[in-house]
Amino acid sequence: MALPGMAYEARLQALLDHRLGLWDVIAKAKREGSLDSRIRDHATNDLAALVAALPNLVAVAFNGGTAAKIGMQALAESRLWLDLIKLPSSSPAYAAVPYADKLRASEALRKWLLA
């Protein structure tokens, strides 16, 4: 899988090779600094439309609490058939969360990565 030191194009290819997609829940916003708590006046991407366009999609994982809150609200009607997973933020602003805890939470994705 992708490693932090990999070139951008290689990271994108690793995602494609593992049938993973990345997409921002928030399309645009005002924010001073990097903390999600500083997000103001945000507009969301149409996550429900994206999911509807991907009939083979089985799970959506959210990177952090803010993305999970917004995304899970947007996908409330999809909960019957789609697994929604809240992961701890990968942001350096949340470095206080031990790597082992982040790794353990990310293991919830394992069943789809091995499929």
Side-chain angles (χ1 to χ4, degrees):
M1 189 55 184
L3 299 173
M6 291 175 71
Y8 181 74
E9 291 298 324
R11 287 185 274 165
L12 291 179
Q13 189 59 52
L15 289 169
L16 289 171
D17 291 346
H18 288 86
R19 299 183 346 237
L20 297 172
L22 292 177
W23 204 57
D24 285 325
V25 173
I26 296 177
K28 63 181 179 177
K30 294 178 184 176
R31 176 171 66 178
E32 291 183 29
S34 61
L35 295 176
D36 286 352
S37 62
R38 304 294 303 259
I39 293 173
R40 302 287 182 264
D41 302 324
H42 72 276
T44 58
N45 279 313
D46 191 349
L47 189 55
L50 177 68
V51 167
L54 299 168
N56 294 326
L57 187 68
V58 294
V60 175
F62 300 100
N63 182 19
T66 300
K69 179 180 177 185
I70 294 168
M72 288 181 177
Q73 287 174 346
L75 296 176
E77 295 181 19
S78 303
R79 290 180 188 253
L80 298 176
W81 61 271
L82 191 63
D83 285 327
L84 304 179
I85 304 153
K86 178 183 171 187
L87 298 173
S89 177
S90 60
S91 169
Y94 296 97
V97 177
Y99 175 78
D101 292 350
K102 290 181 179 185
L103 179 61
R104 191 170 24 262
S106 296
E107 288 177 350
L109 302 174
R110 186 178 301 268
K111 69 181 181 180
W112 294 285
L113 295 176
L114 298 177

